[in-house]
Amino acid sequence: MVSNPVHGLPFLPGTSFKDATKAAFHRSQTLGYRNGYAVVRHPTVGIGGERLQVNQLSQAELDELANKAPVLTYGQPKRAPPAEFIPAHVAFDKKVLKFDAYFQEDVPMSTEEHYRIRQVNIYYYLEDDSMSVVEPVVENSGILQGKLIKRQRLTKNDQGDHYHWKDLNRGINITIYGKTFRIVDCDRFTQVFLESQGIELNPPEKMALDPYTELRKQPLRKYVTPSDFDQLKQFLTFDKQVLRFYAIWDDTDSMFGECRTYIIHYYLMDDTVEIREVHERNDGRDPFPLLMNRQRMPKVLVENAKNFPQCVLEISDQEVLEWYTAKDFIVGKPLTILGRTFFIYDCDSFTRQYYKEKFGISDLPRIDVSKKEPPPVKPELPPYNGYGLVEDSAQNCFVLIPKAPKKDVIKMLVNDNKVLRYLAALESPIPEDKDRRFVFSYFLASDMISIFEPPVRNSGIIGGKYLGRTKVAKPSSTVENPIYYGPTDFFIGAVIEVFGHRFVILDTDNYVLKYMESNAAQYSPEALLSIQNRVQKQEDPAPELEKEKQQEIENVVTQLPDYPKLSEQGTACPGSGSTFTGTKGRPWIMDQELSKQTKEDPGVQELEALIDTIQKQLQDHPCKDNICEAFQIYDKEASGYIDKEMFFKICDSLNLPIDDSLIKELIRLCPHREDKINYYHFVRAFSK
């Protein structure tokens, strides 16, 4: 407790009084923190808050005492070591000057505001003399805010000089990138720093406000004309009285539209309307109860309010000429609410009683709005694209994940491994296709057909699989309803068209005959007659075969030249006037040719076919050289054979109007013996 004696009185008890203004008797704090660093400060007041009478020296006097050296006593002092160097980025790390400023922005295309005041914060970073301008973000302002100018060194004039912290002060304008910022205030740290550096700060200014923002903050004036209608009486009279209507919304005319049921509630207490959805079990919709919340519904709008953004803003009384009332909700009449047309088909008993008492409408029957289910629409398949079977392609149109079409399992088990085979010829105008033969295989288990062409040596046609196992539709059927070939369509003489190619059935195997015999009721009389004729040919084939063999021998004999007999020494060579002389006196060539023809050698048949081809080509370009005389000159023994080397020389010397490939093939097929070649067939191919 501190007492002060009254002036003129001794310092004795009763003559001193307590100072009521002194209440703090603690010692002053000598340690503290400034900007995150621990600092020591000298106490200026003592216990009780009395200021200490201490002779405080100035900073200059303290520096002089610290640097004064007692020369007379201790001699010349030693030079103090230099102070430790601290770089700027360490000394001024995390030290930022903050200024409050604003700039004015023109608003040319607005009738409500001509300019806009935008408040910003200017930050000056001491460590690298960089600056940044940040505008505080205001929610729902509609303006891009935030960092307007990112941290960088900013130029202040055309000479390229940059802004320094010495250039910043309160109450000044600075121009950055064409925008003029007015600095009105700074924070406490900035004020202390600038004052410590000897800069005199201008007095702070009041931050300018945006006039449009301040206008928006003022409450809107409402001019409400008092009404004679007593809403309180209506509330007390019709409280908890609600009219209930049952309605439907038919939107089936639009794409993916449907007919849905709703319940419309009309609250008599305040003339509000509520529309509730009626959910059915497993309807696939979220169980949201309300389609439209309880509110007053406008019936007639003013002309200027037709383009009013109703989905964004609420409609006031100024935009509405007439509201919906209870007399507008009549059973059997449509009602348009918020663009949807609802048809009221029923109401509850309370609503009927209310309409009878209020409006005198007693007849409100229920209207049947149930619709008959339309007949199922037959799915239309897209046109067939030609890939795979029609049944397989149609599965993509029935389900999302296609499955293989169902198969007749009983038919597959009964007819497993049962195949009907037929021999067929290709009906084609091309001569090379007339001798081609094909084997048709009809699989009874799956009604599929495969075609195989037996390879023929040196025919020029690659044999093998002609058609894989697949179903073949008849040419008279359509793509939508294909009719496939069945076993009853295959018989001797039948024409089968497979993808544009016509085949004629020539023969069948024995299993087909047995199958047709056991299933005769399925085949036509024409098919049975063809099989009957084939069986008759099989029973009596001998006379026909003998006639065919005899005819072949006669054809060979007529084609052969007049060879020498036993007593004859020479005869004319076909196609020339020279004589072919034999030394042994017997017709050896005739015997050789007849024996080859009667043995049905495939090589002979191939040779005859090649000779026919060469003679057909010679019809347009006949051979002018006498080929037979050219070979007889070198055949001294008249044996019909000459050396291979001489044979090739003669062929090179002759002017033959035939392909070299045909000539080489003809030479290959001619008989050979001990490095000699028989030239008879070669001469016969070029004779007229």
Side-chain angles (χ1 to χ4, degrees):
M1 182 179 294
V2 178
S3 299
N4 294 326
V6 181
H7 181 68
L9 296 178
F11 187 65
L12 296 173
T15 62
S16 60
F17 302 93
K18 179 176 66 174
D19 190 357
T21 60
K22 296 180 180 180
F25 302 97
H26 62 277
R27 298 186 63 183
S28 298
Q29 183 71 24
T30 59
L31 299 176
Y33 285 88
R34 178 178 294 176
N35 296 331
Y37 293 91
V39 295
V40 179
R41 57 189 179 185
H42 299 283
T44 58
V45 295
I47 299 176
E50 293 182 357
R51 181 169 295 277
L52 297 177
Q53 299 298 329
V54 180
N55 293 328
Q56 296 184 354
L57 301 178
S58 63
Q59 186 65 31
E61 295 175 345
L62 293 175
D63 294 340
E64 183 181 357
L65 292 176
N67 297 328
K68 186 177 180 180
V71 180
L72 298 177
T73 306
Y74 302 102
Q76 290 293 337
K78 295 182 180 179
R79 191 172 183 178
E84 184 180 359
F85 174 74
I86 301 177
H89 69 273
V90 176
F92 298 108
D93 185 26
K94 298 180 182 180
K95 294 184 179 181
V96 183
L97 306 182
K98 178 184 177 184
F99 297 90
D100 298 332
Y102 68 90
F103 69 95
Q104 181 176 327
E105 182 181 29
D106 294 336
V107 183
M109 301 179 65
S110 177
T111 59
E112 298 181 355
E113 55 177 342
H114 302 287
Y115 66 92
R116 185 179 296 129
I117 299 298
R118 301 178 63 175
Q119 302 176 2
V120 297
N121 294 327
I122 300 177
Y123 295 95
Y124 186 93
Y125 300 89
L126 295 174
E127 58 179 337
D128 56 356
D129 297 329
S130 61
M131 298 175 63
S132 65
V133 181
V134 179
E135 182 180 7
V137 178
V138 179
E139 188 176 1
N140 297 327
S141 65
I143 304 174
L144 293 177
Q145 297 173 328
K147 184 175 289 186
L148 301 182
I149 302 176
K150 64 181 181 180
R151 181 177 175 180
Q152 56 186 297
R153 298 193 68 186
L154 301 176
T155 57
K156 63 180 179 180
N157 51 32
D158 297 338
Q159 286 75 22
D161 298 333
H162 296 89
Y163 277 107
H164 195 260
W165 52 266
K166 297 179 181 179
D167 302 324
L168 304 178
N169 202 337
R170 292 187 296 205
I172 65 171
N173 295 333
I174 61 173
T175 302
I176 302 175
Y177 293 135
K179 290 185 179 181
T180 302
F181 296 86
R182 180 69 177 183
I183 301 177
V184 297
D185 201 357
C186 62
D187 61 353
R188 180 63 180 171
F189 172 76
T190 305
Q191 180 179 356
V192 173
F193 177 79
L194 294 178
E195 289 179 350
S196 65
Q197 300 299 325
I199 296 177
E200 183 178 355
L201 292 176
N202 298 328
E205 298 179 358
K206 187 177 180 180
M207 176 64 73
L209 300 177
D210 185 25
Y212 181 72
T213 304
E214 297 300 321
L215 180 62
R216 290 291 300 271
K217 292 181 180 180
Q218 297 178 3
L220 297 177
R221 293 183 179 182
K222 296 182 180 180
Y223 302 93
V224 180
T225 303
S227 176
D228 297 335
F229 180 74
D230 192 357
Q231 294 184 356
L232 179 59
K233 181 179 179 181
Q234 181 185 6
F235 174 77
L236 297 176
T237 304
F238 298 105
D239 186 23
K240 299 183 180 180
Q241 295 185 13
V242 182
L243 303 182
R244 174 178 292 184
F245 301 92
Y246 302 96
I248 61 171
W249 175 46
D250 191 357
D251 192 36
T252 54
D253 294 337
S254 62
M255 184 179 292
F256 308 113
E258 57 184 349
C259 185
R260 301 177 61 185
T261 57
Y262 295 91
I263 296 177
I264 301 177
H265 289 159
Y266 185 88
Y267 294 87
L268 296 174
M269 58 179 294
D270 54 358
D271 297 327
T272 55
V273 181
E274 177 189 67
I275 302 178
R276 305 181 67 88
E277 295 188 12
V278 178
H279 292 279
E280 298 178 357
R281 186 176 183 183
N282 297 329
D283 60 353
R285 296 183 177 273
D286 293 336
F288 197 77
L290 293 178
L291 174 68
M292 188 191 71
N293 201 1
R294 179 179 173 181
Q295 57 183 305
R296 296 187 68 188
M297 286 277 77
K299 182 179 180 181
V300 180
L301 299 175
V302 296
E303 294 183 358
N304 297 331
K306 291 183 178 180
N307 298 327
F308 188 76
Q310 303 174 10
C311 60
V312 179
L313 303 177
E314 296 182 358
I315 300 176
S316 61
D317 295 338
Q318 286 76 18
E319 288 84 14
V320 180
L321 294 178
E322 185 180 357
W323 300 88
Y324 274 111
T325 58
K327 63 181 179 181
D328 298 320
F329 294 83
I330 304 297
V331 176
K333 293 185 178 180
L335 190 70
T336 301
I337 300 176
L338 296 181
R340 295 191 182 188
T341 301
F342 296 90
F343 181 78
I344 301 175
Y345 66 90
D346 196 8
C347 60
D348 60 356
S349 58
F350 173 77
T351 305
R352 286 189 172 91
Q353 184 66 24
Y354 177 81
Y355 272 79
K356 183 178 180 180
E357 297 176 356
K358 184 71 175 177
F359 304 106
I361 302 175
S362 59
D363 188 13
L364 293 175
R366 174 184 173 88
I367 300 176
D368 186 13
V369 293
S370 60
K371 294 184 179 180
K372 296 182 180 179
E373 294 185 1
V377 180
K378 186 178 180 181
E380 296 183 2
L381 298 179
Y384 179 58
N385 55 6
Y387 295 98
L389 299 178
V390 179
E391 292 81 0
D392 292 337
S393 300
Q395 295 299 318
N396 297 300
C397 305
F398 298 147
V399 292
L400 184 61
I401 302 176
K403 298 181 180 179
K406 293 184 179 180
K407 299 180 181 179
D408 191 352
V409 181
I410 303 300
K411 181 179 179 180
M412 295 177 63
L413 295 176
V414 173
N415 299 320
D416 189 23
N417 296 330
K418 292 183 179 180
V419 183
L420 306 180
R421 293 180 174 85
Y422 305 87
L423 180 64
L426 182 62
E427 191 178 77
S428 174
I430 302 174
E432 288 78 3
D433 294 340
K434 292 184 178 180
D435 297 333
R436 298 174 66 181
R437 295 296 180 264
F438 300 87
V439 177
F440 277 66
S441 299
Y442 187 91
F443 300 88
L444 295 174
S446 58
D447 295 331
M448 292 187 177
I449 299 173
S450 67
I451 304 176
F452 180 80
E453 182 180 7
V456 178
R457 185 181 179 186
N458 297 325
S459 64
I461 299 174
I462 300 175
K465 183 185 289 186
Y466 186 80
L467 177 67
R469 185 183 299 189
T470 183
K471 290 184 178 181
V472 180
K474 295 182 179 180
S476 59
S477 63
T478 60
V479 178
E480 292 77 11
N481 297 317
I483 301 175
Y484 299 105
Y485 280 107
T488 58
D489 299 320
F490 290 82
F491 53 87
I492 298 177
V495 178
I496 307 298
E497 185 172 342
V498 180
F499 302 120
H501 300 275
R502 295 168 60 89
F503 296 87
V504 181
I505 304 298
L506 302 179
D507 199 358
T508 63
D509 60 357
N510 294 330
Y511 181 75
V512 176
L513 300 178
K514 295 180 182 179
Y515 180 81
M516 295 181 66
E517 183 180 358
S518 59
N519 300 274
Q522 302 178 4
Y523 288 86
S524 62
E526 183 183 2
L528 298 176
L529 182 61
S530 65
I531 297 301
Q532 184 179 0
N533 295 336
R534 182 185 182 282
V535 172
Q536 290 178 358
K537 290 181 181 180
Q538 287 182 349
E539 292 178 353
D540 192 15
E544 296 180 359
L545 291 177
E546 290 179 358
K547 290 180 181 180
E548 291 178 0
K549 290 183 179 180
Q550 187 67 24
Q551 186 66 29
E552 290 179 359
I553 294 173
E554 290 178 0
N555 293 337
V556 173
V557 172
T558 55
Q559 293 177 1
L560 293 176
D562 297 334
Y563 290 101
K565 297 182 182 179
L566 290 173
S567 60
E568 295 176 350
Q569 298 296 323
T571 182
C573 183
S576 65
S578 60
T579 305
F580 186 94
T581 305
T583 57
K584 296 184 180 180
R586 65 177 183 272
W588 58 273
I589 297 181
M590 180 177 177
D591 296 340
Q592 181 182 9
E593 294 296 328
L594 289 176
S595 62
K596 289 183 180 179
Q597 293 287 345
T598 54
K599 290 181 181 180
E600 298 181 355
D601 188 2
V604 175
Q605 297 179 2
E606 187 177 356
L607 176 62
E608 294 298 326
L610 182 60
I611 292 174
D612 292 342
T613 304
I614 295 175
Q615 289 180 355
K616 290 179 181 178
Q617 294 187 9
L618 288 175
Q619 291 178 0
D620 300 329
H621 305 282
C623 182
K624 298 180 180 180
D625 297 335
N626 197 341
I627 302 176
C628 186
E629 292 180 359
F631 285 99
Q632 286 182 354
I633 293 174
Y634 296 96
D635 188 12
K636 305 296 183 180
E637 299 177 357
S639 61
Y641 287 87
I642 61 175
D643 295 333
K644 288 184 178 181
E645 184 178 359
M646 186 58 64
F647 192 96
F648 292 135
K649 289 182 179 180
I650 294 172
C651 292
D652 294 336
S653 63
L654 296 174
N655 187 17
L656 300 176
I658 301 298
D659 259 351
D660 293 341
S661 60
L662 295 178
I663 295 175
K664 292 179 181 179
E665 185 67 14
L666 181 61
I667 295 174
R668 187 185 66 81
L669 295 176
C670 289
H672 292 64
R673 185 183 65 182
E674 297 177 358
D675 295 333
K676 293 184 178 183
I677 301 176
N678 191 334
Y679 60 87
Y680 165 71
H681 293 291
F682 191 90
V683 173
R684 189 163 62 90
F686 295 92
S687 63
K688 298 182 180 178

